[in-house]
Amino acid sequence: MTEQMTRRTLLTATAATLAAPALVPAAASAAPRVPSAVRELEDRIREAMELYAVPGVAFGLRYRGREYVRGFGVTSIADPSPVDGDTTVFRVASTTKTFTGTAAMRLVERGRLDLDRRVRAYLPGFRTSDPAASARVTVRQLLNHSAGWLGDYLLDTGSDDAALARYVAEMHRVPQLTPPGEVFSYNNAAISVAGRVIEVVTGRTYEQAVEDLLLEPLGLRRSGFDITRIPGARMAVPHVIDEAGNLVAQPERWSVPRSVNPAGGLISSARDQLRWARFHLGDGGRLLSRRSLHAMRSHPGPGGTLFVELDGAGVTWMLRPTAEGPTVVQHGGDWDGQHSGFLMVPERDFALTVLTNSDTGPALLDDLFIGDWALSRFAGVHNLPAVVRPVADLAGYAGSYTLQQIGFDGELVSLVLEIVADRGMLSVRVDGVEQMRLGFYRRDYAVVHLPDGTPTTQRVNFVRGRGGEVDWLRFGGRLLRRGGVAPLRTAGTLPFRLNPWI
């Protein structure tokens, strides 16, 4: 079922719920005075929902030792029910990766897994299209996004318990882009391979292993991979933009291939996501040692950009530098009609998670998770500065760049960008139409601008090969090959946030 929605009808549908129940601290039955910063966050969410036409949002916040959870708007414009922070569940997409990484660390502590052993120690027949890379890649490289093969491999291999094993068996078709361990490239496929390693080590399905190792002992009762098995859960129905530009509710978009569950299949509530943050900010209790928690968010692999600048990835956590020094530990996720953000600043005991049920959600999330406002208001830190200046000689960056993905049907899809120098910036074009502009703030690093020259909060960078020439553009964490081949099938125009890629 689909239902069209214009901004006017969205505002009518959500008017009552936007003014409904007062925000409730997570750890108290009687609400104390809510800090002004928390009220500001609520106001920003309301304003962004109206500005971007987002039907439903839930958030969880840890700030100054207290926790706050709240929902806004409706679960569906077709059948409106109020969103709350407890029973309303969203597809958190790529934040699932942090559950995969944490499950792996539990197995490390039990002596059943070694992150620095080669993948073939656990999956003897494992191979991608590159025999040498297949033999060398380690479990750690799976988890820090440096495995080096094409990461957006989304093949649907069925819904039975052997789906993940079949997916990994088909990895031989996946192109190797860079040698293992050398370059950061966001890699959904690598995390699914890590999920298969967890299956082999535990003798359980991935989903059951995560439930046994994490969800059950942590009391995350509104989290799981099958909404029918989550007591009392109400779906935050996905909403997408149709060809006429209308927002429509499409519950069928909720489905995720089981083969990519380790990379993005988890369903969860705002309160459970905040409990997840509390666990990672704490001492691990009886579940995981403080040392292992710290290891997950330190010693990153290769760095680069994933919408913001990164020091690199630890064990599935993205590690983001700040001007003041404390590290931001971050993730988030994107699926059709389901977009979320999640970040922590452990040194400041701060965490924020925001869940949305619409493809209009990323604009709201960008305001809170890529820009400076939330970090500065709640944790007193800021992004590294990015002062854009015109560059005279840009010839070394110009050329065609190819982005590739293997879809649910196993077909390779490509998108070719043409990048040309234009008035001290780079103009990024698809089929001759400018999609964005790139303004450099330091060598190889640029801020994304809209075609009219308006800067956004997002950053990209170019990657040089061993000979010193630019070989790749890293956009949204993915590598686009310079001088790549013409597309086998076009993927359409380039969005500023890649989705439904998890």
Side-chain angles (χ1 to χ4, degrees), residues 215-248:
L215 304 184
E216 183 64 29
L218 288 175
L220 302 182
R221 296 181 179 85
R222 295 277 163 70
S223 299
F225 295 90
D226 180 351
I227 194 170
T228 66
R229 299 184 59 189
I230 301 175
R234 296 183 301 117
M235 179 196 299
V237 174
H239 295 75
V240 301
I241 305 294
D242 68 11
E243 293 182 358
N246 295 308
L247 195 67
V248 296

Side-chain angles (χ1 to χ4, degrees), residues 37-341:
V38 182
R39 293 296 187 196
E40 289 175 34
L41 173 63
E42 291 185 271
D43 290 342
R44 291 180 77 93
I45 290 174
R46 288 193 188 96
E47 291 165 4
M49 289 178 71
E50 179 176 348
L51 178 62
Y52 305 123
V54 182
V57 175
F59 82 84
L61 169 71
R62 182 174 177 84
Y63 174 57
R64 293 185 174 176
R66 299 198 67 85
E67 297 179 355
Y68 306 88
V69 175
R70 186 162 183 193
F72 303 86
V74 295
T75 58
S76 171
I77 61 178
D79 184 17
S81 295
V83 170
D84 67 35
D86 290 293
T87 63
T88 306
V89 295
F90 299 73
R91 182 81 66 181
V92 301
S94 278
T95 303
T96 309
K97 292 177 172 67
T98 66
F99 286 76
T100 302
T102 307
M105 289 303 293
R106 289 216 66 198
L107 297 174
V108 169
E109 285 202 343
R110 293 178 175 185
R112 301 179 65 184
L113 183 64
D114 183 339
L115 299 186
D116 295 310
R117 291 193 72 186
R118 296 180 179 182
V119 171
R120 281 189 176 173
Y122 304 98
L123 307 178
F126 175 75
R127 65 188 180 98
T128 66
S129 63
D130 185 323
S134 306
R136 288 177 45 203
V137 67
T138 68
V139 176
R140 186 181 301 278
Q141 289 160 355
L142 299 178
L143 297 171
N144 69 16
H145 296 273
S146 68
W149 53 72
L150 180 67
D152 289 309
Y153 168 60
L154 305 176
L155 182 67
D156 186 348
T157 54
S159 59
D160 66 310
D161 289 352
L164 196 51
R166 285 194 296 270
Y167 173 93
V168 172
E170 292 295 317
M171 286 285 296
H172 62 84
R173 70 175 69 192
V174 180
Q176 189 77 27
L177 307 182
T178 58
E182 293 190 7
V183 178
F184 170 79
S185 179
Y186 193 79
N187 202 314
N188 289 306
I191 304 299
S192 281
V193 174
R196 177 59 183 155
V197 170
I198 290 171
E199 286 191 335
V200 170
V201 169
T202 62
R204 311 280 276 173
T205 66
Y206 166 79
E207 297 83 6
Q208 189 61 58
V210 169
E211 183 173 338
D212 293 345
L213 292 168
L214 300 172
L215 304 184
E216 183 64 29
L218 288 175
L220 302 182
R221 296 181 179 85
R222 295 277 163 70
S223 299
F225 295 90
D226 180 351
I227 194 170
T228 66
R229 299 184 59 189
I230 301 175
R234 296 183 301 117
M235 179 196 299
V237 174
H239 295 75
V240 301
I241 305 294
D242 68 11
E243 293 182 358
N246 295 308
L247 195 67
V248 296
Q250 291 193 347
E252 64 271 22
R253 300 290 186 113
W254 180 261
S255 177
V256 170
R258 189 168 180 181
S259 54
V260 296
N261 267 352
L266 189 74
I267 301 160
S268 192
S269 68
R271 192 174 297 276
D272 268 11
Q273 288 292 285
L274 190 57
R275 288 184 176 122
W276 184 239
R278 185 195 312 152
F279 168 68
H280 273 276
L281 289 169
D283 62 7
R286 293 177 294 175
L287 200 63
L288 202 61
S289 70
R290 185 191 295 269
R291 179 178 179 180
S292 290
L293 290 174
H294 184 263
M296 290 190 67
R297 56 180 191 252
S298 57
H299 306 296
T305 55
L306 179 62
F307 306 116
V308 294
E309 277 193 64
L310 296 178
D311 290 328
V315 178
T316 62
W317 287 114
M318 303 299 163
L319 306 179
R320 172 179 173 184
T322 64
E324 292 78 10
T327 296
V328 178
V329 180
Q330 185 162 339
H331 223 291
D334 297 282
W335 192 254
D336 274 346
Q338 300 280 296
H339 302 270
S340 62

Side-chain angles (χ1 to χ4, degrees), residues 357-369:
N357 66 343
S358 173
D359 278 347
T360 56
L364 181 155
L365 296 169
D366 286 355
D367 291 348
L368 295 174
F369 290 90

